[in-house]
Each structure stands twice: as structure tokens, then as C-alpha cells.
Amino acid sequence: MPTTMKDIARDLGVSVVTVSKVLRNHRDIGDETRKRVLDRIKELNYTPNLAARGLVTGKTYLVGLVVPDLLHPFFAQIAKSLSGALLKKDYCLTILTSDEDPELEEREINRLLGRGLDALIIASSCTTSALFKRIQKQGPPFVLIDRSFPDLHANFVGVDDEAVGILATEHLIEVGCRRIAHLRGPQTSPGIGRLKGYLNTLAKSKLTPLPGYVSTQRLVDVQSRESGAELMRQMLTLHPRPDGVFCYNDPMAIGAIHTILDAGLRVPEDIAVIGSGNLHYDTELRVPLSSIDQQTELIGERAARLTLSLLESKTRPRNKTFILQPQLVIRASTERRRRMTGAAAKSLTNAK
Amino acid sequence: MPTTMKDIARDLGVSVVTVSKVLRNHRDIGDETRKRVLDRIKELNYTPNLAARGLVTGKTYLVGLVVPDLLHPFFAQIAKSLSGALLKKDYCLTILTSDEDPELEEREINRLLGRGLDALIIASSCTTSALFKRIQKQGPPFVLIDRSFPDLHANFVGVDDEAVGILATEHLIEVGCRRIAHLRGPQTSPGIGRLKGYLNTLAKSKLTPLPGYVSTQRLVDVQSRESGAELMRQMLTLHPRPDGVFCYNDPMAIGAIHTILDAGLRVPEDIAVIGSGNLHYDTELRVPLSSIDQQTELIGERAARLTLSLLESKTRPRNKTFILQPQLVIRASTERRRRMTGAAAKSLTNAK
DNA sequence: TTGAAAGCGTTACCAG
DNA sequence: CTGGTAACGCTTTCAA
């Protein structure tokens, strides 16, 4: 049986309340008494029973994190930062994987809600905000990461996804691509935002994606790499085939490159490829992968800070949004000379 | 305010105890009463307050997992399986990263213990079993994964690490390597076991590692890849230099390959490289990496089953050990013709 | 500055 | 089969 406050109180001839107050740095306790209690706590290696405390205060000291896939380094990194930061303040982080499946995600979140959490952090796979509107009405405070909802005003930390699409597409244009395709992501904000950035950039450059240049797949399977490979296979059947591909994420890009090389084509000479995520192993790939960095570490940190502020504030603070700026990272998969001047390119490819 | 048993009891004109019993499938409850209670529970979407329950039963419905690095796909995969399996039984999994640092690990485990967990799952970075002996004396049941202690009888799920070393080394010999080096891992059981398998296999083939052929680094940094690159740099200064390298894990192997290629040498022609872990992206690397598969999924599953059995059994069951057999996966990094016959090789390299 | 009493939501133990 | 009572370890409130 572990030590309780009662033991300490009895030992020292003070009341349980006194011990409790010392523990929480309540100030109306005599220095003498405080010291004695503190000493005894150290001696017995006492730690308060959080279940009991929670029963009174309504807190569980448990925070939930729901991500589409813990195997993806982006989410693993965020999980790691969050768990470390929260533990310092005595909160435990429980991590669940939704497998990019909105229904599974909702079931898991409901389970967590039933358990009673102090806060929730979610990279949601849902395509609508209904679930989160419900949680806002009756549920713990939460922070969305990576994925947001246009019709939901909520705490959010993520990257500017339209900028991701713009950076990637501008870069492909810059290195001389004119027939630029996009392997798109799911119908969540990053997928939609990156597509938008792609389309807008093309439009600005007076380029038009030919039919079939935007993949029609709606949901990225958990197996992004395979889905990238498969989608690329379809792209290669097009005439003319693309000379540049912007992929929703790095695993898809890796799959795409695999297909391209298998078909006997070269990357980047025949087709340049760029992804997003800037995975730690991008440098070590068959063709080192150009990518858009999403500031993963910063997202983790900010999300942790934001969550802690929700946890510690008595009143529910107003929602905050942090949109980080992505950065272009150039590697071999797009490193090629421009092959034609702007004018030549225009005349060649703009014929719709 | 969430619904409580009291609400249900009042609504139905029964006692709280009755509701409680229905909830836990206690059998001495009339069918009629049971149905009414169940219906009302559904209606109100009632879920029991686990903190309150835990206060009485001593259970927290929380399970802890401590791993060296959540970013490593091996541990991420295990975390994912465990979290899914446990949630089904209403246990939450909280995941902590020790960064391969025994002191940090101990601090984190102590914190978890203070919080009160129902079980603990650990891939420990500790080099001694002291901490776990303490937990066995006064702590929750636990399962060690991936890393065990020779002087500790405990629940364990992992791979046969000596077999890992044997498979890798035998394979290098098989493809014609005669000067085989080893980038060793930390002083934990996998590091020690793989080294042993390596040494024994060499001995059996009457080969001897030349001085410097076993790296002296004691601890693998979290940045395994960089440490592999660095260690390989040192190996390349040796005369004669190795013609085959068995690396403790795949990230180290990736780093090693990086160094070798940078030095203008070829893999596998000049130096064959094999790792361990069989990461999902091994196929997509600059040089697709031969590796020893550690049966990650199976480890996760078994660990989950074992943990659940500890959780559900009233008495503490006796310790169980599951040692899985690793498997050789051959890819380009070791795919070369034998370059000499056994006899020729022997006469050449066995001159100590 | 201290402490007594009440109560948080649940389960264990017995009596009826 | 049902339910009253006590208890789990802690915090809150308020009186001393």
C-alpha cells in the first residue's frame, strides 16, 4: 500500500488538510510546519493519488492525442514533443491512431471523452467539423494540429498549406517543368490547401494542368507510398506525360519515384518530383527527395504550449491559431537545369 | 456535468448499488431491472467515472509504455499495436520517450509509478536491472520488450538477438566477405547479443575480426544514422579495410553506406552492408538495404496479449518469455557474387 | 495559521 | 435479488 496524506499527517501530528495545503503551495502555512511536511514527503517518497484528487477537482491529468498514423515521422515527432512537455507538468499523454479513418477516429475520441480528459489534441481525418462542434459544446478544450476546418473557430497549430502548394509548384516551374501534375491528398485542409496553392500558382504562370494531371483519389491510404506508386502509374499513361509532379506528402513522392524509375525514366531529368514533409530520411533515398519542410518541431512545441495554457487557465481562453510558414528544401529529385526559356515554354505548353 | 450512477438510480427508483452491479454484469440482478437500467444508460450516454472507480478498486486503467525513441519505426509500430489493443479493453496507453538515456528513463518511470499505473511496458535503455528489481518488489506488473536482462526473470517479448548476429554475419560470409566488421549497439541485450552472434559466427568460420573491426562506441546516440556514419569513417582508415559490415540497426547502416559512397567506394562491391530492423523504407534507399527482420508486428501483438493477461488476471501470473526468430532479408546492399572460393578466402584472410 | 466536516462517484460488504 | 452503509484519498469550505 502506497503512502497517503493521512500517514504523513499522523506521523507529524498535523491534520490532513495541512499536508494537502503544503503540497499545493497554499500560502497560509507556517514556515516551520511546511518544512516538516516537505521533509517527510521526501522521506516517504510520497506522491499524491491523482485519481482521488481528480475525483474532487474534476481533472484527470490525462491528455489525449489522436493522429492518423503514428508511423509517420511527422506525427511521431509531434507525439514525442507533446508527451515530454506534458509530463513535466504531470499530465500523461495517451496516443491513439485513427488510420486516417474518420469513423474509427470518432469512435476513439468518444471513448476518450467517456474516460474524461483534461484536453485533446487532434490531427483529424474527418472531412466535416461536426464532431468538433459537439466537443466545443460539451467536452474538454482541444487543439487541432495539422488539419483545420474552415467553418470551425478553434485552437489550431499548423502550416500554411496553400503556401506549401505554392512553394512546391513555383519551384517545379523554376527548374523548367511545364507539365506539372499533382498527386493530391485527402479532403482535409492540408490536401485542399496544397491543391489550391498548386492550381493558383499554375494559373499565375498561365499554365493549365492537362486532364488527368490532378489525381482523383480522394483518400490517401495509410500506405501513402503504395498509393503514390499506383497514382503515378496512371499518370505515366497520359499523353503528354507530366514533366514535374508535386506530391501531397513525401511517402507518396517516394512511391511515385519508384514507379518512374521502374518505367525506365529518370528523376529529375524526365520527371522532377517534390513532396512535402521533409522526412529525416529524405536525404538517403534512391533519389534524394526535394520537399517542403513543415516545421514539425515547431508545431510540436507550439501545440504543447498551447495545450498547457488551456490546461492551466481557469477560464477557457479564447481560441488561438498559429500558422507556420513552410520552407522549400531542394534535393536531387528536382535538381536540373532549366531546359528552355520562359517564352519557349509558354508557347509550347500553354496550348490547351 | 456528466451523468452519474446516482442520476440513473433516481430516475429509475432503484439504488445506486443496483446500477453499479448491472454495469459490471453482476449476476444477481433481475432481468427486468437489468434491462431498465441498461436502457437508461444508453439513453443518457452514461459512462462510469474511472477516477472514482479507480479510487475504490485501486486500478487506474492506465498503462505506460517507455521506449528509447518514438521516431524509430520499430517502436512506433509497437506503440501503435499496443495502443489499439489496450484501448479495446478500456485501458489508455501513455507513451514516453527515454532518448536512450537510462537516467531520464528512470525519472520517467518513477513519475509514472507515482501516478499509479496498472501495467508498464518497457524497452529499457538501462544497463542494469536494478530499477526493475525494485518495480518487481513494489510496483505494477510489467513487460520488457526488445531488451532484457540476463539476471532478471521477467515478462519479455523480443527477438533472438544472437540469431540476428548469426544470420547477418553468415550472410556476409556467404556473399564472399572475409574482413567483416561490426558497428555495435549499446550495452543492452540486443547490442550484446548481436555482437555475440557476430563473434561466434566468425569464430565458427575460422575468421577473426582484425583490430578496430568492432566499433568501440558504447552508446548509440539517438541519432543512430550520424553515429553510423562517423564510426564508418573510422573503419575506412583501417588497413586492410573491411569488405563487409554488420550494423546494429538500419539507421546506423544507412549512415555507414552514406560514408562509404562519399568516400568513392561502392556498396556492395567494395563493402557489403547489412543492418537490422527491416525498416519499411529500406527498399527505397540509395542502396536498398539488406537487413534482419525483427518481427516487429508480432512483438507488438504478443506484448499486447501478454500485458492484457497481466491486467485481467487477479493473481500475478508467473513470468512468460517470448523469443521470436529473426529473418534475413536480402537487398542490394549485400547482393554480389562470391568473389573467391572458400579455400582461397581462408588462406588469404585467416593469417592473423 | 490550522483543522473539522462534507463530499467527489464509485465499489465492497453485509443485511434484509 | 436488492440496497444501506462505509470506505477509497483527496480538496473545498468555513469556522476557530
Side-chain angles (χ1 to χ4, degrees), chain A residues 4-5 20 24 46 49 52-53 56:
Chain A
T4 71
M5 286 189 0
S20 170
R24 286 168 300 139
Y46 167 81
N49 179 323
R53 176 182 285 178
V56 180

Side-chain angles (χ1 to χ4, degrees), chain A residues 32-52:
Chain A
E32 166 74 9
T33 317
R34 155 166 284 125
K35 188 178 172 347
R36 287 175 60 216
V37 173
L38 249 25
D39 286 351
R40 192 83 188 125
I41 285 178
K42 271 267 153 57
E43 263 174 61
L44 295 180
N45 216 327
Y46 167 81
T47 52
N49 179 323
L50 295 186

Side-chain angles (χ1 to χ4, degrees), chain B residues 42-183:
Chain B
K42 270 266 154 54
E43 265 174 58
L44 295 180
N45 216 325
Y46 166 81
T47 53
N49 178 324
L50 295 186
R53 176 182 286 177
L55 196 53
V56 181
T57 61
K59 295 191 66 167
T60 59
Y61 288 90
L62 195 63
V63 172
L65 170 67
V66 181
V67 294
D69 184 8
L70 196 55
L71 274 169
H72 194 298
F74 176 75
F75 297 115
Q77 173 68 53
I78 286 174
K80 191 173 156 178
S81 336
L82 279 172
S83 138
L86 291 175
L87 196 71
K88 277 188 196 137
K89 301 282 181 176
D90 268 332
Y91 291 90
C92 278
L93 184 71
T94 180
I95 303 172
L96 300 181
T97 295
S98 68
D99 277 342
E100 200 81 64
D101 171 353
E103 288 179 28
L104 178 58
E105 176 178 319
E106 184 155 359
R107 278 205 303 281
E108 288 184 336
I109 289 182
N110 282 333
R111 226 189 207 122
L112 287 179
L113 292 177
R115 198 189 201 290
L117 296 174
D118 293 343
L120 207 46
I121 302 148
I122 311 144
S124 175
S125 303
C126 292
T127 52
T128 74
S129 62
L131 172 60
F132 302 98
K133 287 190 169 146
R134 206 184 83 212
I135 303 178
Q136 275 183 338
K137 278 217 171 113
Q138 43 144 343
F142 64 90
V143 175
L144 296 178
I145 53 173
D146 190 47
R147 299 152 182 223
S148 62
F149 299 91
D151 64 335
L152 184 79
H153 188 55
N155 292 298
F156 175 68
V157 184
V159 84
D160 180 341
D161 283 298
E162 193 172 342
V164 169
I166 294 172
L167 281 176
T169 313
E170 278 182 349
H171 174 61
L172 288 176
I173 294 174
E174 174 70 23
V175 299
C177 301
R178 286 302 172 268
R179 301 184 306 277
I180 299 174
H182 177 42
L183 301 192

Side-chain angles (χ1 to χ4, degrees), chain A residues 178-181 208-214 232 234-245 265 270-271 348-352:
Chain A
R178 288 301 173 270
R179 301 185 305 277
I180 299 174
T208 327
L210 302 182
Y213 273 26
V214 174
M232 196 64 222
Q234 295 164 26
M235 291 271 169
L236 287 185
T237 66
L238 300 176
H239 299 285
R241 68 167 138 74
D243 60 359
V245 184
L265 298 169
D270 296 310
I271 305 183
L348 255 172
T349 61
N350 204 27
K352 192 182 172 183

